[in-house]
Amino acid sequence: MSAADYQVVIVGAGPTGLMLSNLLGRYGVRTLIIERLHELIDYPRAIGIDDEALRSMQAVDLVDKVLPHTVPHHMVRAVNAQGKVIAEMAPQTDEFGWSRRNGFIQPLVDRALLTGLDRFPHVDVRLGHELLKIEQTAEQVVCTIQDVDSGEVTRVTAEYMVGAEGGRSFTRDWLGANFEGVTLPDRCLVVDVADDPLGTPNAIFGADPVRSWATFGLPHGIRRWEFMLGDDEDNELAESDAFVRGLLTDHVRGPERLNIIRRRVYTHNARIASAFRRGRVFIAGDAAHVMPVNAGQGWNSCIRDAVNLGWKLAAVLNGTSSPALLDTYEIERRDHVRGMVELSVGMGKAFASRGRLREVARTVVGTAVEYLPPVKRYVASMRFKPMPTYTRGAVVRTEVHKSRSILPAHGVNRSAGRLFIQPKVSAPDGAVKLLDDVIGLRWAVLTWNNDPRRILSEKSVEALERLGAAFVQVVPEVQREWTAANASPGITVIGDALGRVKKWFDDKPYSVLFLRPDRVIAAECLAVEADRTTEKLLDAISYLA
């Protein structure tokens, strides 16, 4: 038992802190989350949740609480000043088990995450408490916090601390990290309206050279509009009733009758902290990086941070990995965050910038999208969105085994460092479920066809069992019952109910995967190389024998 009051203290009850608290709660980690406000923020915020984030909600058993506040397959169309569609983003893929693009109401989803903490007696929540001071020793972090109402000051200790208190992070300043990047010159007015006067689904980006705009159909009868502001339109003017309703005149009849529930001016930043960690103290989410809203990835990037850091903290705290594993958090997240920031800035320049030259460029791009099918498919499926691909950190990049029985063309199709798919499969009892629900929130050795225990040595099996790994054998559905009857003890036999797992392996040079708890493929190999790859993996995750 640790001498510290908590194993982890989290500062900030935004999406990052709430997601991380739920993950640590599921891992049994004694956690305290504090938040300066008495209630979660309820003004206009993120409206896009992607498939990766929904998979994370599934991981903490809250996806059923989140889905009622979403619009699956939220299509986005970009139009020019004449209303002609110049691009359409309507991905239909569900490779990770969920719709790739979804509209959502962030305050309601954040509330579901907060309520989810009630499940864990070992997770404490203190709203209305502010962090005043951070002190660090070799063994623990000392946090001085204050009750904002009574003024009472207390000190709590933890083995680790995570600052997730947003863009003006006290913790980031304590780290001594610079918030590198730029504040973009353009400001945006966001208006949320109840009793949606249009009622149409999906979203439209209006790439008007005079004033770009966007509108979004959201759950529960909410309609959002966003308008670019001019340099001469200050925030007070922009948030005034007359100005807001004047802007809406071209979009809906009778704007004076609209039920406007929120309005707010936003300034867009594109910044990444120069460091994500100092000793036992980390930053995550908006404390570590902020980006424009154009790609809808700010909130989702916060969730990715929490998922990446959560399982690593748990592994160190439960004694299976050394603290060196925590170094991989920044290594893995920084490059992907940079890609998301660049995407967000680029989309803003493409669809939300002024000027006739930009309008000409958009027309040219729109023509290419319309008449070049490959380009149209690329845009529609959102393949321009960079997926997390970790080339360094808690991953093993193996060389392709040279064999005449392995097609050379498949050698380029390596997947270590990427998320594994999540199709529907047949569980051992025959019930069709999503893959993660069968495996659980843990490590997994997943093989196509082979029995994992028969290709691994006793030493490898013992080490993987200590990690809490599941041993998963995937076979065609027609083989499931026979394979289960003949499998080694402790093997989870899964039937490839829809053939999507086999399809994934069809053009890969490997048949054995080592899946991390966050479903990133940590390593891959052929069956004959399973033991050697296990050794490399244990080294990469700083395994404590």
Side-chain angles (χ1 to χ4, degrees), residues 178-207:
N178 297 320
F179 213 18
E180 299 169 348
V182 297
T183 297
L184 302 179
D186 295 323
R187 292 168 300 123
C188 179
L189 171 66
V190 176
V191 181
D192 283 354
V193 176
D195 308 316
D196 186 350
L198 302 181
T200 55
N202 304 316
I204 300 174
F205 278 88

PDB file of all heavy atoms in Angstrom, residues 178-207:
ATOM      1  N   ASN A 178       7.132  25.842 -22.422  1.00  0.00           N
ATOM      2  CA  ASN A 178       6.619  26.890 -23.302  1.00  0.00           C
ATOM      3  C   ASN A 178       5.403  26.358 -24.056  1.00  0.00           C
ATOM      4  O   ASN A 178       5.324  25.160 -24.355  1.00  0.00           O
ATOM      5  CB  ASN A 178       7.687  27.336 -24.297  1.00  0.00           C
ATOM      6  CG  ASN A 178       8.893  27.958 -23.614  1.00  0.00           C
ATOM      7  OD1 ASN A 178       8.748  28.720 -22.651  1.00  0.00           O
ATOM      8  ND2 ASN A 178      10.086  27.641 -24.095  1.00  0.00           N
ATOM      9  N   PHE A 179       4.468  27.241 -24.367  1.00  0.00           N
ATOM     10  CA  PHE A 179       3.291  26.851 -25.153  1.00  0.00           C
ATOM     11  C   PHE A 179       3.544  27.335 -26.577  1.00  0.00           C
ATOM     12  O   PHE A 179       3.100  28.408 -26.979  1.00  0.00           O
ATOM     13  CB  PHE A 179       2.028  27.455 -24.562  1.00  0.00           C
ATOM     14  CG  PHE A 179       0.804  26.600 -24.726  1.00  0.00           C
ATOM     15  CD1 PHE A 179       0.902  25.242 -25.013  1.00  0.00           C
ATOM     16  CD2 PHE A 179      -0.464  27.146 -24.590  1.00  0.00           C
ATOM     17  CE1 PHE A 179      -0.225  24.449 -25.152  1.00  0.00           C
ATOM     18  CE2 PHE A 179      -1.604  26.368 -24.726  1.00  0.00           C
ATOM     19  CZ  PHE A 179      -1.475  25.013 -25.012  1.00  0.00           C
ATOM     20  N   GLU A 180       4.267  26.515 -27.322  1.00  0.00           N
ATOM     21  CA  GLU A 180       4.794  26.950 -28.618  1.00  0.00           C
ATOM     22  C   GLU A 180       3.734  26.902 -29.707  1.00  0.00           C
ATOM     23  O   GLU A 180       2.954  25.947 -29.786  1.00  0.00           O
ATOM     24  CB  GLU A 180       5.982  26.054 -28.987  1.00  0.00           C
ATOM     25  CG  GLU A 180       7.117  26.145 -27.971  1.00  0.00           C
ATOM     26  CD  GLU A 180       8.180  25.078 -28.164  1.00  0.00           C
ATOM     27  OE1 GLU A 180       7.923  24.125 -28.951  1.00  0.00           O
ATOM     28  OE2 GLU A 180       9.245  25.177 -27.536  1.00  0.00           O
ATOM     29  N   GLY A 181       3.716  27.937 -30.549  1.00  0.00           N
ATOM     30  CA  GLY A 181       2.758  27.990 -31.639  1.00  0.00           C
ATOM     31  C   GLY A 181       2.266  29.405 -31.848  1.00  0.00           C
ATOM     32  O   GLY A 181       2.967  30.376 -31.540  1.00  0.00           O
ATOM     33  N   VAL A 182       1.060  29.529 -32.363  1.00  0.00           N
ATOM     34  CA  VAL A 182       0.531  30.846 -32.709  1.00  0.00           C
ATOM     35  C   VAL A 182      -0.923  30.977 -32.281  1.00  0.00           C
ATOM     36  O   VAL A 182      -1.641  29.984 -32.130  1.00  0.00           O
ATOM     37  CB  VAL A 182       0.618  31.104 -34.236  1.00  0.00           C
ATOM     38  CG1 VAL A 182       2.063  31.110 -34.711  1.00  0.00           C
ATOM     39  CG2 VAL A 182      -0.193  30.067 -35.008  1.00  0.00           C
ATOM     40  N   THR A 183      -1.324  32.229 -32.067  1.00  0.00           N
ATOM     41  CA  THR A 183      -2.736  32.573 -31.937  1.00  0.00           C
ATOM     42  C   THR A 183      -3.174  33.096 -33.289  1.00  0.00           C
ATOM     43  O   THR A 183      -2.609  34.072 -33.801  1.00  0.00           O
ATOM     44  CB  THR A 183      -2.957  33.638 -30.852  1.00  0.00           C
ATOM     45  OG1 THR A 183      -2.560  33.095 -29.590  1.00  0.00           O
ATOM     46  CG2 THR A 183      -4.423  34.043 -30.783  1.00  0.00           C
ATOM     47  N   LEU A 184      -4.145  32.455 -33.906  1.00  0.00           N
ATOM     48  CA  LEU A 184      -4.561  32.827 -35.249  1.00  0.00           C
ATOM     49  C   LEU A 184      -5.341  34.141 -35.207  1.00  0.00           C
ATOM     50  O   LEU A 184      -6.047  34.434 -34.241  1.00  0.00           O
ATOM     51  CB  LEU A 184      -5.414  31.713 -35.853  1.00  0.00           C
ATOM     52  CG  LEU A 184      -4.714  30.348 -35.929  1.00  0.00           C
ATOM     53  CD1 LEU A 184      -5.640  29.292 -36.508  1.00  0.00           C
ATOM     54  CD2 LEU A 184      -3.443  30.434 -36.759  1.00  0.00           C
ATOM     55  N   PRO A 185      -5.231  34.947 -36.257  1.00  0.00           N
ATOM     56  CA  PRO A 185      -5.855  36.276 -36.242  1.00  0.00           C
ATOM     57  C   PRO A 185      -7.378  36.246 -36.316  1.00  0.00           C
ATOM     58  O   PRO A 185      -8.035  37.185 -35.869  1.00  0.00           O
ATOM     59  CB  PRO A 185      -5.263  36.952 -37.484  1.00  0.00           C
ATOM     60  CG  PRO A 185      -4.892  35.819 -38.397  1.00  0.00           C
ATOM     61  CD  PRO A 185      -4.447  34.719 -37.494  1.00  0.00           C
ATOM     62  N   ASP A 186      -7.947  35.201 -36.871  1.00  0.00           N
ATOM     63  CA  ASP A 186      -9.398  35.161 -37.069  1.00  0.00           C
ATOM     64  C   ASP A 186     -10.115  34.742 -35.788  1.00  0.00           C
ATOM     65  O   ASP A 186      -9.684  33.853 -35.067  1.00  0.00           O
ATOM     66  CB  ASP A 186      -9.753  34.183 -38.192  1.00  0.00           C
ATOM     67  CG  ASP A 186      -9.226  34.649 -39.542  1.00  0.00           C
ATOM     68  OD1 ASP A 186      -9.245  35.858 -39.787  1.00  0.00           O
ATOM     69  OD2 ASP A 186      -8.779  33.795 -40.327  1.00  0.00           O
ATOM     70  N   ARG A 187     -11.247  35.414 -35.519  1.00  0.00           N
ATOM     71  CA  ARG A 187     -12.115  35.047 -34.409  1.00  0.00           C
ATOM     72  C   ARG A 187     -13.436  34.516 -34.968  1.00  0.00           C
ATOM     73  O   ARG A 187     -13.809  34.821 -36.106  1.00  0.00           O
ATOM     74  CB  ARG A 187     -12.398  36.256 -33.521  1.00  0.00           C
ATOM     75  CG  ARG A 187     -11.182  36.751 -32.751  1.00  0.00           C
ATOM     76  CD  ARG A 187     -11.447  38.115 -32.111  1.00  0.00           C
ATOM     77  NE  ARG A 187     -11.757  39.091 -33.136  1.00  0.00           N
ATOM     78  CZ  ARG A 187     -12.886  39.830 -33.177  1.00  0.00           C
ATOM     79  NH1 ARG A 187     -13.800  39.685 -32.210  1.00  0.00           N
ATOM     80  NH2 ARG A 187     -13.095  40.698 -34.143  1.00  0.00           N
ATOM     81  N   CYS A 188     -14.123  33.750 -34.150  1.00  0.00           N
ATOM     82  CA  CYS A 188     -15.340  33.088 -34.606  1.00  0.00           C
ATOM     83  C   CYS A 188     -16.447  33.250 -33.565  1.00  0.00           C
ATOM     84  O   CYS A 188     -16.206  33.076 -32.368  1.00  0.00           O
ATOM     85  CB  CYS A 188     -15.056  31.594 -34.842  1.00  0.00           C
ATOM     86  SG  CYS A 188     -16.463  30.639 -35.392  1.00  0.00           S
ATOM     87  N   LEU A 189     -17.640  33.606 -34.015  1.00  0.00           N
ATOM     88  CA  LEU A 189     -18.807  33.681 -33.144  1.00  0.00           C
ATOM     89  C   LEU A 189     -19.568  32.366 -33.229  1.00  0.00           C
ATOM     90  O   LEU A 189     -19.928  31.918 -34.320  1.00  0.00           O
ATOM     91  CB  LEU A 189     -19.725  34.827 -33.563  1.00  0.00           C
ATOM     92  CG  LEU A 189     -21.089  34.892 -32.860  1.00  0.00           C
ATOM     93  CD1 LEU A 189     -20.913  35.204 -31.384  1.00  0.00           C
ATOM     94  CD2 LEU A 189     -21.997  35.913 -33.537  1.00  0.00           C
ATOM     95  N   VAL A 190     -19.804  31.734 -32.085  1.00  0.00           N
ATOM     96  CA  VAL A 190     -20.536  30.472 -32.026  1.00  0.00           C
ATOM     97  C   VAL A 190     -21.897  30.739 -31.382  1.00  0.00           C
ATOM     98  O   VAL A 190     -21.982  31.356 -30.318  1.00  0.00           O
ATOM     99  CB  VAL A 190     -19.763  29.424 -31.206  1.00  0.00           C
ATOM    100  CG1 VAL A 190     -20.577  28.142 -31.055  1.00  0.00           C
ATOM    101  CG2 VAL A 190     -18.428  29.119 -31.875  1.00  0.00           C
ATOM    102  N   VAL A 191     -22.960  30.285 -32.043  1.00  0.00           N
ATOM    103  CA  VAL A 191     -24.325  30.496 -31.562  1.00  0.00           C
ATOM    104  C   VAL A 191     -25.042  29.149 -31.526  1.00  0.00           C
ATOM    105  O   VAL A 191     -25.081  28.438 -32.532  1.00  0.00           O
ATOM    106  CB  VAL A 191     -25.102  31.460 -32.481  1.00  0.00           C
ATOM    107  CG1 VAL A 191     -26.519  31.676 -31.938  1.00  0.00           C
ATOM    108  CG2 VAL A 191     -24.368  32.779 -32.637  1.00  0.00           C
ATOM    109  N   ASP A 192     -25.579  28.788 -30.374  1.00  0.00           N
ATOM    110  CA  ASP A 192     -26.374  27.566 -30.231  1.00  0.00           C
ATOM    111  C   ASP A 192     -27.839  27.943 -30.044  1.00  0.00           C
ATOM    112  O   ASP A 192     -28.171  28.823 -29.233  1.00  0.00           O
ATOM    113  CB  ASP A 192     -25.900  26.741 -29.036  1.00  0.00           C
ATOM    114  CG  ASP A 192     -24.620  25.983 -29.327  1.00  0.00           C
ATOM    115  OD1 ASP A 192     -24.172  26.014 -30.490  1.00  0.00           O
ATOM    116  OD2 ASP A 192     -24.062  25.367 -28.401  1.00  0.00           O
ATOM    117  N   VAL A 193     -28.708  27.263 -30.793  1.00  0.00           N
ATOM    118  CA  VAL A 193     -30.135  27.558 -30.785  1.00  0.00           C
ATOM    119  C   VAL A 193     -30.899  26.287 -30.439  1.00  0.00           C
ATOM    120  O   VAL A 193     -30.637  25.224 -31.006  1.00  0.00           O
ATOM    121  CB  VAL A 193     -30.590  28.093 -32.166  1.00  0.00           C
ATOM    122  CG1 VAL A 193     -32.093  28.316 -32.188  1.00  0.00           C
ATOM    123  CG2 VAL A 193     -29.845  29.377 -32.504  1.00  0.00           C
ATOM    124  N   ALA A 194     -31.830  26.370 -29.504  1.00  0.00           N
ATOM    125  CA  ALA A 194     -32.707  25.248 -29.183  1.00  0.00           C
ATOM    126  C   ALA A 194     -33.919  25.284 -30.101  1.00  0.00           C
ATOM    127  O   ALA A 194     -34.197  26.291 -30.754  1.00  0.00           O
ATOM    128  CB  ALA A 194     -33.133  25.309 -27.725  1.00  0.00           C
ATOM    129  N   ASP A 195     -34.663  24.186 -30.146  1.00  0.00           N
ATOM    130  CA  ASP A 195     -35.842  24.080 -31.014  1.00  0.00           C
ATOM    131  C   ASP A 195     -35.447  24.403 -32.454  1.00  0.00           C
ATOM    132  O   ASP A 195     -35.962  25.340 -33.079  1.00  0.00           O
ATOM    133  CB  ASP A 195     -36.960  25.021 -30.537  1.00  0.00           C
ATOM    134  CG  ASP A 195     -37.272  24.837 -29.062  1.00  0.00           C
ATOM    135  OD1 ASP A 195     -37.353  23.674 -28.619  1.00  0.00           O
ATOM    136  OD2 ASP A 195     -37.409  25.848 -28.343  1.00  0.00           O
ATOM    137  N   ASP A 196     -34.518  23.620 -32.954  1.00  0.00           N
ATOM    138  CA  ASP A 196     -33.880  23.809 -34.260  1.00  0.00           C
ATOM    139  C   ASP A 196     -34.869  24.313 -35.315  1.00  0.00           C
ATOM    140  O   ASP A 196     -35.808  23.609 -35.695  1.00  0.00           O
ATOM    141  CB  ASP A 196     -33.278  22.472 -34.713  1.00  0.00           C
ATOM    142  CG  ASP A 196     -32.470  22.580 -35.991  1.00  0.00           C
ATOM    143  OD1 ASP A 196     -32.508  23.640 -36.641  1.00  0.00           O
ATOM    144  OD2 ASP A 196     -31.818  21.589 -36.346  1.00  0.00           O
ATOM    145  N   PRO A 197     -34.678  25.542 -35.819  1.00  0.00           N
ATOM    146  CA  PRO A 197     -35.624  26.093 -36.788  1.00  0.00           C
ATOM    147  C   PRO A 197     -35.513  25.468 -38.176  1.00  0.00           C
ATOM    148  O   PRO A 197     -36.406  25.649 -39.004  1.00  0.00           O
ATOM    149  CB  PRO A 197     -35.257  27.573 -36.837  1.00  0.00           C
ATOM    150  CG  PRO A 197     -33.798  27.594 -36.509  1.00  0.00           C
ATOM    151  CD  PRO A 197     -33.610  26.498 -35.497  1.00  0.00           C
ATOM    152  N   LEU A 198     -34.444  24.732 -38.430  1.00  0.00           N
ATOM    153  CA  LEU A 198     -34.277  24.057 -39.718  1.00  0.00           C
ATOM    154  C   LEU A 198     -34.614  22.572 -39.604  1.00  0.00           C
ATOM    155  O   LEU A 198     -35.338  22.024 -40.420  1.00  0.00           O
ATOM    156  CB  LEU A 198     -32.850  24.231 -40.234  1.00  0.00           C
ATOM    157  CG  LEU A 198     -32.363  25.675 -40.428  1.00  0.00           C
ATOM    158  CD1 LEU A 198     -30.941  25.679 -40.972  1.00  0.00           C
ATOM    159  CD2 LEU A 198     -33.292  26.452 -41.341  1.00  0.00           C
ATOM    160  N   GLY A 199     -34.041  21.944 -38.599  1.00  0.00           N
ATOM    161  CA  GLY A 199     -34.349  20.532 -38.359  1.00  0.00           C
ATOM    162  C   GLY A 199     -33.656  19.562 -39.278  1.00  0.00           C
ATOM    163  O   GLY A 199     -33.852  18.355 -39.162  1.00  0.00           O
ATOM    164  N   THR A 200     -32.823  20.043 -40.197  1.00  0.00           N
ATOM    165  CA  THR A 200     -32.121  19.161 -41.127  1.00  0.00           C
ATOM    166  C   THR A 200     -30.897  18.561 -40.453  1.00  0.00           C
ATOM    167  O   THR A 200     -30.274  19.198 -39.600  1.00  0.00           O
ATOM    168  CB  THR A 200     -31.684  19.933 -42.375  1.00  0.00           C
ATOM    169  OG1 THR A 200     -30.900  21.063 -41.973  1.00  0.00           O
ATOM    170  CG2 THR A 200     -32.894  20.427 -43.152  1.00  0.00           C
ATOM    171  N   PRO A 201     -30.518  17.321 -40.828  1.00  0.00           N
ATOM    172  CA  PRO A 201     -29.333  16.705 -40.221  1.00  0.00           C
ATOM    173  C   PRO A 201     -28.053  17.223 -40.872  1.00  0.00           C
ATOM    174  O   PRO A 201     -28.088  18.000 -41.816  1.00  0.00           O
ATOM    175  CB  PRO A 201     -29.535  15.218 -40.521  1.00  0.00           C
ATOM    176  CG  PRO A 201     -30.297  15.209 -41.814  1.00  0.00           C
ATOM    177  CD  PRO A 201     -31.206  16.415 -41.770  1.00  0.00           C
ATOM    178  N   ASN A 202     -26.939  16.791 -40.325  1.00  0.00           N
ATOM    179  CA  ASN A 202     -25.631  17.013 -40.920  1.00  0.00           C
ATOM    180  C   ASN A 202     -25.150  18.449 -40.783  1.00  0.00           C
ATOM    181  O   ASN A 202     -25.676  19.214 -39.990  1.00  0.00           O
ATOM    182  CB  ASN A 202     -25.611  16.530 -42.369  1.00  0.00           C
ATOM    183  CG  ASN A 202     -26.012  15.076 -42.479  1.00  0.00           C
ATOM    184  OD1 ASN A 202     -25.567  14.257 -41.689  1.00  0.00           O
ATOM    185  ND2 ASN A 202     -26.902  14.759 -43.412  1.00  0.00           N
ATOM    186  N   ALA A 203     -24.136  18.807 -41.566  1.00  0.00           N
ATOM    187  CA  ALA A 203     -23.460  20.091 -41.398  1.00  0.00           C
ATOM    188  C   ALA A 203     -23.093  20.683 -42.741  1.00  0.00           C
ATOM    189  O   ALA A 203     -22.881  19.965 -43.725  1.00  0.00           O
ATOM    190  CB  ALA A 203     -22.209  19.910 -40.537  1.00  0.00           C
ATOM    191  N   ILE A 204     -22.985  22.019 -42.765  1.00  0.00           N
ATOM    192  CA  ILE A 204     -22.563  22.731 -43.975  1.00  0.00           C
ATOM    193  C   ILE A 204     -21.501  23.751 -43.576  1.00  0.00           C
ATOM    194  O   ILE A 204     -21.677  24.509 -42.614  1.00  0.00           O
ATOM    195  CB  ILE A 204     -23.740  23.465 -44.646  1.00  0.00           C
ATOM    196  CG1 ILE A 204     -24.836  22.490 -45.045  1.00  0.00           C
ATOM    197  CG2 ILE A 204     -23.253  24.249 -45.867  1.00  0.00           C
ATOM    198  CD1 ILE A 204     -26.088  23.165 -45.577  1.00  0.00           C
ATOM    199  N   PHE A 205     -20.392  23.770 -44.319  1.00  0.00           N
ATOM    200  CA  PHE A 205     -19.381  24.810 -44.200  1.00  0.00           C
ATOM    201  C   PHE A 205     -19.558  25.764 -45.373  1.00  0.00           C
ATOM    202  O   PHE A 205     -19.447  25.354 -46.537  1.00  0.00           O
ATOM    203  CB  PHE A 205     -17.969  24.223 -44.242  1.00  0.00           C
ATOM    204  CG  PHE A 205     -17.499  23.670 -42.924  1.00  0.00           C
ATOM    205  CD1 PHE A 205     -17.772  22.355 -42.574  1.00  0.00           C
ATOM    206  CD2 PHE A 205     -16.794  24.467 -42.037  1.00  0.00           C
ATOM    207  CE1 PHE A 205     -17.342  21.840 -41.366  1.00  0.00           C
ATOM    208  CE2 PHE A 205     -16.369  23.957 -40.828  1.00  0.00           C
ATOM    209  CZ  PHE A 205     -16.644  22.638 -40.484  1.00  0.00           C
ATOM    210  N   GLY A 206     -19.822  27.019 -45.071  1.00  0.00           N
ATOM    211  CA  GLY A 206     -19.973  28.017 -46.124  1.00  0.00           C
ATOM    212  C   GLY A 206     -18.676  28.766 -46.332  1.00  0.00           C
ATOM    213  O   GLY A 206     -18.312  29.637 -45.538  1.00  0.00           O
ATOM    214  N   ALA A 207     -17.970  28.428 -47.416  1.00  0.00           N
ATOM    215  CA  ALA A 207     -16.669  29.043 -47.700  1.00  0.00           C
ATOM    216  C   ALA A 207     -16.887  30.334 -48.470  1.00  0.00           C
ATOM    217  O   ALA A 207     -16.511  30.474 -49.637  1.00  0.00           O
ATOM    218  CB  ALA A 207     -15.793  28.066 -48.482  1.00  0.00           C
TER     219      ALA A 207
END
